[in-house]
Structures are given as structure tokens and as C-alpha cells.
Amino acid sequence: MTRQTVFSWGRTAPSESDVLTLPSRFDALPALAADSPSMLPFGNGRSYGDSCLNPGGTLLSTRYLDHFIGFDAATGALRCEAGVLLSDILKLIVPQGWFLPVTPGTRFVTVGGAIANDVHGKNHLSHGTFGRHVRALALRRSDGATLQCSPHENADWFAATIGGLGLTGVVLWAEIQMRPIASPWVEEQTERFASLDQFFALCHAYADTHEYTVAWIDCSAGAHRVGRGLFTRARHAPADAQPPRHGDRPRSRSMPFTPPFSLVNRLSVGAFNTLHYHRTGRAEPPRLTHCDTFFYPLDHILQWHRMYGPKGFYQYQCVVPPDDARAALHALLSEIGRSGAASFLGVLKQFGPLASPGLLSFPREGYTLALDFPNAGPRLHALFERLDAIVAGAGGRLYPAKDGRMSGACFRAGYPQWEALTPYIDPAFSSGFWRRVTDGATRREKSK
């Protein structure tokens, strides 16, 4: 066990914690140290805020739980330990004609992290969340008990652990159903849109023909251009697809150091967004793209978060229900535009009606907007509070895996079922996020 300063991906909240590496899934969890108030599993640290941090407590690193247990190439059923990265799974299954049923925008997350946050991807409309494809898992509790959980066995524990932010115990292994593909290539096409109305029309037009849909949104556009962006639709290519001779898998490069100030600012973002919006015509022709390039473009820039400088960055990701989506998204983008806040990583996607299996899973039917902002201190937090009010007014909520600052009231309004999770939380487990958004409410309840 070593005392370390641990950061999440956004690097806004350094956390002093004891870090203990779990050597094997066959070992019991360590007893809680006398001077440590709690423990928490820690995978690859790709959550953006403090949901993966435990300031003052113990982090249980799962990166040595990185073994494959079994893969049935005939059925696509994969069983592996929780510390296995999605990138390792892809190396195994893609050459054998399989792919992840749901994947987030980075392949450098662990299976345990994907379960704890019930991650989603560009195909939520047709495939829902990652947790829908988990067939079974093993959960180790601090009292030494191991629970076998699935939708049919210990189903309540299964629902609490999917999207449960690592609070119910340590996931030792999981069995996941992969989906078949005919080739590692994706047919994609990008089209420019000038307004939110055009975005909604494109979502409707391609919902049944393309599995993957996502839009880049220009949040720096002026008042008369609110909602403009680029809409991308894609589907897995057939076996006889003829990829380009030169290929399109760029070499990975790394951001070599953290600059003394953020390279993302109003000037650089304004220029980038204008060029990016005009890089394509009304509709470019379809093209073949390797799955690595299509699903994980930022993974080709290792340590890309360093471009935000020493203060780090926040991602603001919300979902709003479909009935109020048009008005809410227009209000959000207008408020961001007026603020002058800089974000070039703006993503707008549709969530479908498939129910997430977890008690605290973030996705719900509607539309999700995600934006990265350099940490500008109180001015940015004031903007976030205004955005929170718009999201709450529409009946939406924020994504805990991306959050590092929402209030407890905002969390509890967005997740009214949060108290249903508490009986399943391991008494030795906690996180910076959970204490931040629930401790006040817990203390008030105890005082009654």
C-alpha cells in the first residue's frame, strides 16, 4: 500500500489516497485500515470527476485483474476479469468477427469501470447501455462474501451494481455478450446541419437504417447559428467491403507535456469550430473507416487531456427527455454561446427507449449533450449552475461519471431513486462523489 496523489481524467481534483493493488480475484479484500474511512475500486481512472476517487481513503486498484477467463468464438460470449481494458478485448475479438455491443468514446476503460458507470455509445437507440449485455458478474464484498449476480440470480444486486459507481463491492469478473461483425470496417457518412430542427430531422431519417448516429455541435456559434453542426451516421461494413489501399488507422501520438496554460481558449475554439463546420459539404459521400478510427478518434492522441493545462478541465454531460428536448437544448447552447466559454468537443446524441438495467444508470430516453470546458474557476461554475437549472427544468439529469461539481440537490432531483441503492452499498465503501452529493441529505435524515 502506498500513499499517492491520484487524479481522474479531468485533473481538476487531486486526491490523496492509499492505493492498494488487488493481486488476484481469488484473494479476499483487505481489511479497512484503522486510519482509512473507506475504500473504493479503481480501474484505469478514465472517469472525469470524482466518482472514481476516494480522498483520504483507500483505492483498490483492479489493473492486475486483467485475465481472460474464456471466450466462445461461436457464440460471442466472453468472460474476463474486471481489470481487463476494452482495448484488450477488441484485440482478441475483432479478428474473430466480433465487436463490443456498446462502447464509449475511449477503449482505455476497464470492464469494471464500464459496468460501474453503465457506459453508453453511439448506438444507444438500438442497443441501450453496456449493462444490458452483461450476462453475469461476480461481486466481492468487504465481509468476504462473493455474490454471483445476473438478471436472473441475485437480480437486485445485479441492478445495484450496474451503474452503481463501484459502491456495492469489487466486481471480480463479468460475462458479456459480444455482437457479430463481418469486417473491422465501418461505413460512415457525415452531413452538415444548420439548426436543431435539422438535427432532429436527421435523427428521425436514419434511426432505422444506421446503427450509429452522433453529432458534433458548434457551441461557439452566434445567436443566429445556434444548433449548427455535423451529423455522422454509420453501420458495420459487409464482408466484401473494399477498404482504401492506404488504410486509415493513424499512428498514435502523445501530448508530451502539460503546457503552463490551456491551449483550449475562446480564440482557438472559435477558429477550430468554424473550420471544422465548413470542412464538409451538405453531405459528403459514404466512406469506409476502420473501427478504431471511427469509435476512438481521441485515443490516437495519448494524454490529450494535457492540452487543457495544469488546471484541467470539466466535462458537462446531461440528458433531457424528448418532449422538452428542442427548447432545452436551444436554451443550453444559447447560454453557453453568451458565456463565451470555449468547447470544441461538443457531442449531441439521441438516447432510445431501451431501459437501462441499473438503479442509477444515467441514460434515459431523450437527447444527451456533452461538452468539455477548460477549468476557468468561479466563472465556469456560475455557467454550470445556469445550465443545471435548464436541465432540471426539463426533467433531465447529469452524468456522474463525467461530473466533478454538481450539487447534491441537483443529483437527488435527477436520480430520485438514489436511496434505493443505499441498502446495497458495501459499508466499507465510499467515494468523493457519493459523499459530495448525498452526505448532507443523509445527515438531515439521521437528525429527524
Side-chain angles (χ1 to χ4, degrees), residues 119-176:
V119 297
H120 56 274
K122 301 176 180 70
N123 62 346
H124 187 274
L125 194 63
S126 60
H127 283 65
T129 64
F130 190 88
R132 289 181 59 88
H133 306 276
V134 176
R135 296 166 41 147
L137 59 86
L139 183 70
R140 178 69 49 79
R141 302 274 291 176
S142 63
D143 62 4
T146 300
L147 303 176
Q148 306 285 331
C149 306
S150 75
H152 312 291
E153 181 182 9
N154 290 318
D156 54 343
W157 286 96
F158 183 81
T161 301
I162 301 291
L165 304 174
L167 297 170
T168 62
V170 174
V171 174
L172 301 177
W173 57 259
E175 185 172 300
I176 308 152

Side-chain angles (χ1 to χ4, degrees), residues 210-227:
H210 290 71
E211 179 178 339
Y212 303 100
T213 56
V214 63
W216 168 84
I217 198 81
D218 181 5
C219 71
S220 65
H224 62 290
R225 296 174 293 181
V226 169

Side-chain angles (χ1 to χ4, degrees), residues 386-440:
R386 298 195 296 273
L387 300 183
D388 290 348
I390 296 170
V391 172
R397 58 191 179 205
L398 306 185
Y399 191 11
K402 302 293 181 70
D403 175 71
R405 39 65 53 194
M406 78 165 119
S407 68
C410 180
F411 169 76
R412 296 189 295 274
Y415 296 87
Q417 70 278 35
W418 71 273
E419 289 180 294
L421 180 69
T422 55
Y424 300 96
I425 295 177
D426 191 297
F429 281 48
S430 185
S431 70
F433 172 85
W434 192 251
R435 293 190 292 273
R436 175 165 57 85
V437 299
T438 66
D439 271 8

Side-chain angles (χ1 to χ4, degrees), residues 326-351:
R326 183 176 274 97
L329 290 172
H330 191 278
L332 289 168
L333 293 170
S334 297
E335 188 64 53
I336 293 166
R338 284 193 296 270
S339 74
S343 176
F344 64 83
L345 292 176
V347 176
L348 182 59
K349 292 183 293 194
Q350 184 178 12
F351 282 163

Side-chain angles (χ1 to χ4, degrees), residues 15-194:
S15 169
E16 293 292 327
S17 298
D18 293 322
V19 179
L20 177 64
T21 298
L22 300 178
S24 166
R25 73 176 187 271
F26 301 106
D27 296 335
L29 298 185
L32 196 62
D35 59 348
S36 180
S38 61
M39 62 178 96
L40 182 74
F42 185 86
N44 205 31
R46 285 303 182 107
S47 294
Y48 283 46
D50 55 356
S51 66
C52 66
L53 300 178
N54 190 20
T58 300
L59 292 176
L60 304 175
S61 173
T62 63
R63 287 295 288 118
Y64 278 7
L65 305 183
D66 60 353
H67 298 84
F68 289 101
I69 300 171
F71 176 57
D72 188 334
T75 66
L78 170 75
R79 181 172 290 198
C80 66
E81 291 181 335
V84 171
L85 294 175
L86 299 189
S87 59
D88 296 326
I89 293 177
L90 292 167
K91 290 175 185 176
L92 171 71
I93 67 173
V94 170
Q96 301 186 66
W98 296 92
F99 196 72
L100 293 164
V102 170
T103 180
T106 175
R107 60 189 185 275
F108 298 133
V109 299
T110 63
V111 166
I115 291 171
N117 295 290
D118 197 14
V119 297
H120 56 274
K122 301 176 180 70
N123 62 346
H124 187 274
L125 194 63
S126 60
H127 283 65
T129 64
F130 190 88
R132 289 181 59 88
H133 306 276
V134 176
R135 296 166 41 147
L137 59 86
L139 183 70
R140 178 69 49 79
R141 302 274 291 176
S142 63
D143 62 4
T146 300
L147 303 176
Q148 306 285 331
C149 306
S150 75
H152 312 291
E153 181 182 9
N154 290 318
D156 54 343
W157 286 96
F158 183 81
T161 301
I162 301 291
L165 304 174
L167 297 170
T168 62
V170 174
V171 174
L172 301 177
W173 57 259
E175 185 172 300
I176 308 152
Q177 179 60 53
M178 301 297 142
R179 54 87 45 81
I181 56 173
S183 82
W185 297 88
V186 172
E187 293 178 341
E188 71 161 312
Q189 187 172 16
T190 297
E191 181 170 347
R192 199 165 68 198
F193 60 89

